[in-house]
Amino acid sequence: MGGIIDNFIGTVKNGLAFRGRTDRRDYWVFILTFLVILAVLLWFAEKISFMDAFVKLYCVLMILPILAATSRRLHDVDKSAKWLFAGLVPVLGAICIFVFIIGEGKESDNRYGARPCMSCCITGAD
């Protein structure tokens, strides 16, 4: 369990790092942890009225880390972060990005850097 939390915190700390690569496992652990925390906050917000502000603050604070992690994930599959703009196209753009990020990353170095080691976010390496 500590590895999951360490992964989440490490990815949030790298929230402004749009360079480099993130492997598939680390990316999805981060996203799923984000969603679990959001679900817990939403559950509390349903019970306690002032928690709505925490939910909104959490979502706003997580925008950059999610964009940065998705950018690095796109780099891992050898796609430019400019593909994030495809998300502006309703439905089709989101499907396109999703197909890219679920794919296997490149085994070798690519133009975005070396292949990420497992749990690089935990050690702080990029």
Side-chain angles (χ1 to χ4, degrees):
M1 181 88 169
I4 292 171
I5 301 302
D6 290 342
N7 175 298
F8 182 78
I9 292 170
T11 303
V12 170
K13 284 182 180 178
N14 288 331
L16 297 176
F18 285 82
R19 294 183 182 194
R21 296 167 61 178
T22 297
D23 67 9
R24 184 167 45 181
R25 179 196 167 278
D26 286 345
Y27 177 78
W28 286 110
V29 166
F30 168 69
I31 293 298
L32 291 175
T33 306
F34 162 77
L35 292 173
V36 166
I37 293 170
L38 180 61
V40 169
L41 287 174
L42 286 170
W43 183 80
F44 277 113
E46 193 175 291
K47 309 289 183 210
I48 306 168
S49 61
F50 71 87
M51 288 294 291
D52 286 341
F54 288 110
V55 172
K56 291 174 185 171
L57 180 64
Y58 176 69
C59 289
V60 168
L61 291 176
M62 292 304 293
I63 289 172
L64 280 177
I66 290 171
L67 287 175
T70 305
S71 169
R72 292 190 309 267
R73 179 71 197 121
L74 286 169
H75 289 169
D76 192 42
V77 295
D78 208 17
K79 301 289 182 201
S80 171
K82 292 176 186 175
W83 276 100
L84 286 172
F85 290 111
L88 298 174
V89 177
V91 183
L92 187 60
I95 291 170
C96 183
I97 293 172
F98 181 73
V99 167
F100 288 152
I101 62 176
I102 63 170
E104 184 69 36
K106 299 292 180 187
E107 290 291 326
S108 60
D109 295 358
N110 66 17
R111 59 188 165 159
Y112 299 105
R115 181 171 188 234
C117 61
M118 291 301 279
S119 305
C120 283
C121 292
I122 295 171
T123 61
D126 216 9

